[in-house]
Amino acid sequence: MISGRMSAAEFRANREADITERPSKYRNKKTTVDGIKFDSKRELMRAIYGIGVELIR
């Protein structure tokens, strides 16, 4: 009898594969400046120049 269930290890492997293939929610590109990592270019601008989000667009 073949069961339609998967083991916990198979589930974790499938889940990790899905997570690595998915793009980020807002399509941000991680940026590094002087060894400091930022999650987006917008976050970088805000941290370095103190510019609000509405001025970047």
Side-chain angles (χ1 to χ4, degrees), residues 2-56:
I2 298 176
S3 174
R5 303 182 76 173
M6 64 173 77
S7 69
E10 290 173 328
F11 175 78
R12 279 190 223 102
N14 287 340
R15 185 165 185 253
E16 288 175 9
D18 287 343
I19 290 172
T20 56
E21 294 174 6
R22 249 185 278 166
S24 65
K25 184 175 181 179
Y26 297 107
R27 308 293 192 252
N28 296 338
K29 294 186 178 179
K30 295 198 183 263
T31 308
T32 304
V33 176
D34 295 331
I36 302 170
K37 295 180 183 178
F38 296 94
D39 289 331
S40 67
K41 290 180 182 179
R42 184 173 288 170
E43 183 180 342
L44 166 72
M45 297 295 283
R46 209 175 310 144
I48 292 178
Y49 300 110
I51 297 174
V53 175
E54 58 278 347
L55 295 178
I56 295 174

